[in-house]
Amino acid sequence: KGSAAVEASAESLKLSDFCLYSGDNGLCSSAEGDVSGTWSTRVEGLRFSLSKLDEWGVLSPRLNGVVQGEITAAGTGAVLSQLDGNLEVPELELDADVDEVYPELKWFTTRVETDLAEETLRLSITSRFVDGSSIKGAIRIEQFGDLSGVMTDLPVSGSVDLMVRDLSPLAIITGSYLVPSGRLSTSLSLSGKLGAPVVDGTLRLENGKLTLPELGVTFNEVEGDVSS
């Protein structure tokens, strides 16, 4: 869509305002590079309908929602010096037959942000479930940048805070064998290496109940704390 501009010489190549659109999906991109291997690219106006994953047979059950955002990256060869971006899904819905478990499975303002500076990659994620449950996480990966190297040895640190007001929606995973309920809260920290992270923190389940429908058994007053 529109007019893309290409500038080429013996030493460099530059592409500007290259845009692709198909229905609700689309993006615009600009990029440039030179013979020294230095390059940069920017993607903006990104829109991708997650329902396409179901249509392509990649993911089931169907996810409804539109990813939108922008990404800027730069580097030399396989070494990244910049990676800034944000992706957001204003409303995300899992299209599954869960009427008996929960009226709807929706998340709001699901957002992922990235920032690379001084060989430290920072990732953050936030999301809110329809019932007020929430997740907030932040991860740091040190010595990041060389994509041709071994990534598993990179130092990693971070934290994840999760609050689930009602565990009932998990029945979509556990099926009819196990129907959980109760309030779950966790506060976890992450350390170690990217290939072998160490997770430490606390997990608390309140007013918990586990039902085994096929056996006609219900465990009430399931509560506890777990630390590692």
Side-chain angles (χ1 to χ4, degrees), residues 96-168:
D97 185 14
V98 295
D99 291 343
E100 296 181 359
V101 178
Y102 211 78
E104 54 185 354
L105 295 177
K106 285 186 178 181
W107 292 262
F108 298 98
T109 320
T110 299
R111 185 176 180 87
V112 178
E113 296 182 347
T114 67
D115 172 65
L116 174 61
E118 299 180 348
E119 296 187 343
T120 299
L121 178 65
R122 297 174 176 84
L123 303 171
S124 67
I125 180 171
T126 56
S127 187
R128 178 175 57 85
F129 190 54
V130 65
D131 68 351
S133 301
S134 63
I135 183 172
K136 180 178 181 181
I139 297 175
R140 289 166 52 100
I141 304 175
E142 309 286 345
Q143 303 172 19
F144 184 89
D146 188 354
L147 302 182
S148 66
V150 178
M151 308 283 285
T152 54
D153 291 334
L154 301 183
V156 63
S157 62
S159 63
V160 176
D161 294 308
L162 173 67
M163 188 273 290
V164 181
R165 291 184 180 274
D166 185 4
L167 292 173
S168 297

Side-chain angles (χ1 to χ4, degrees), residues 181-183 204-210 220-224:
S181 65
R183 176 188 175 102
R204 180 165 180 79
L205 176 64
E206 302 176 42
N207 300 319
K209 182 170 70 173
L210 298 175
N220 294 299
E221 305 299 329
V222 179
E223 298 191 12

Side-chain angles (χ1 to χ4, degrees), residues 3-7 14-19 29-31:
S3 300
V6 178
E7 301 177 22
K14 182 177 181 179
L15 174 67
S16 303
D17 302 323
F18 178 71
C19 299
S29 177
S30 299

